[in-house]
């Protein structure tokens, strides 16, 4: 499908996740050569997908593959599901809305279920619960990243970590991700804060190098902060912020 020049700025997430058609991918690659903002946004989305995959990944046990192969012969293959064709006028729009969350889901699923672990997941109650939690987290993060009004800002913390915040007024949510975040000392954790005027409100904990949904509605907040706090978190900052990043407007 063809896009106007102004539409290209909305394709950074889909490009980073490999969700563009070949002609769109080539067009956006040319666009990024001239658009620094889109280059930064695409890099931020790539970092987000990588953090999600790393957080959800697990190594399947050695005995899993033989069990899966032994069970294959007894599993009846279902015929492919062929959905009714969408009207031409709406098909492109539907694909656009679904491209980013589906591509992001594929990224995390590849890490979470690699090597046949999906079969084991369905047969373990604990793993099923973990999968549901990962899916809910994925859906929430993907919804923010794919929101039409998603805005991105990048920053560097005082400890050298590279951070990205994606915010959506429509979803009333923001996503925080960090790269190269040093491990906190024993008994400590990283905590996020939303700045509302002169008040810093707790906005969730960051466990290691990863991606988290900011806890709380970013509407009305002017900045997001990052501090090092006791492991259980604090009701108010107890250390000098490592990061105080203005939220994207």
């Amino acid at each position: 499908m063809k896009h106007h020049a102004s539409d290209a700025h909305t394709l950074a997430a889909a490009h980073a996740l490999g969700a563009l058609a070949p002609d769109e991918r080539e067009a956006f690659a040319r666009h990024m050569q001239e658009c620094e903002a889109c280059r930064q946004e695409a890099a931020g989305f790539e970092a987000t997908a990588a953090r999600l995959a790393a957080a959800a990944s697990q190594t399947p046990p050695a005995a899993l593959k033989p069990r899966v192969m032994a069970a294959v012969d007894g599993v009846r293959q279902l015929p492919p599901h062929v959905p009714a064709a969408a009207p031409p006028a709406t098909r492109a729009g539907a694909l656009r809305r679904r491209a980013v969350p589906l591509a992001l889901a594929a990224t995390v699923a590849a890490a979470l279920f690699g090597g046949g672990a999906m079969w084991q997941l369905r047969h373990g109650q604990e793993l099923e619960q973990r999968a549901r939690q990962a899916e809910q987290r994925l859906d929430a993060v993907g919804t923010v990243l794919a929101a039409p009004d998603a805005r991105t800002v990048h920053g560097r913390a005082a400890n050298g970590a590279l951070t990205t915040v994606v915010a959506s007024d429509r979803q009333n949510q923001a996503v925080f991700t960090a790269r190269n975040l040093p491990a906190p000392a024993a008994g400590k954790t990283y905590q996020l804060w939303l700045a509302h005027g002169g008040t810093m409100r707790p906005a969730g904990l960051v466990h290691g190098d990863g991606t988290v949904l900011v806890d709380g509605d970013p509407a009305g907040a002017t900045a997001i902060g990052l501090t090092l706090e006791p492991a259980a978190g604090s009701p108010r900052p107890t250390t000098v912020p490592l990061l105080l990043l203005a939220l994207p407007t």
Side-chain angles (χ1 to χ4, degrees), residues 30-192:
R30 292 193 298 269
H31 170 75
M32 283 198 299
Q33 294 177 359
E34 303 176 355
C35 183
E36 174 66 20
C38 283
R39 286 199 299 272
Q40 291 185 358
E41 285 201 11
F45 286 126
E46 289 172 352
T48 296
R51 299 284 76 77
L52 281 170
S57 64
Q58 59 181 340
T59 302
L64 177 60
K65 183 175 180 180
R67 293 207 307 268
V68 172
M69 298 305 294
V72 167
D73 291 338
V75 177
R76 178 176 177 270
Q77 183 173 352
L78 297 176
H81 174 68
V82 181
T90 63
R91 183 183 303 162
L95 288 175
R96 171 69 51 210
R97 289 190 296 271
R98 296 176 60 192
V100 172
L102 287 177
L104 188 58
T107 301
V108 178
L112 182 59
F113 301 129
M118 183 178 292
W119 184 88
Q120 184 187 31
L121 184 65
R122 291 173 178 169
H123 291 76
Q125 184 175 2
E126 180 180 352
L127 290 179
E128 286 186 18
Q129 182 178 2
R130 290 176 58 188
R132 286 194 297 269
Q133 293 173 346
E135 182 179 3
Q136 292 170 356
R137 177 182 177 220
L138 171 62
D139 288 343
V141 170
T143 297
V144 176
L145 298 184
D149 66 335
R151 306 176 308 281
T152 306
V153 65
H154 306 278
R156 182 186 294 272
N159 57 10
L162 301 177
T163 64
T164 298
V165 176
V166 181
S168 167
D169 290 338
R170 180 175 297 184
Q171 300 299 325
N172 296 322
Q173 286 186 314
V175 172
F176 175 89
T177 187
R179 287 182 289 166
N180 304 323
L181 192 62
K188 297 289 184 179
T189 190
Y190 291 105
Q191 186 166 354
L192 294 172

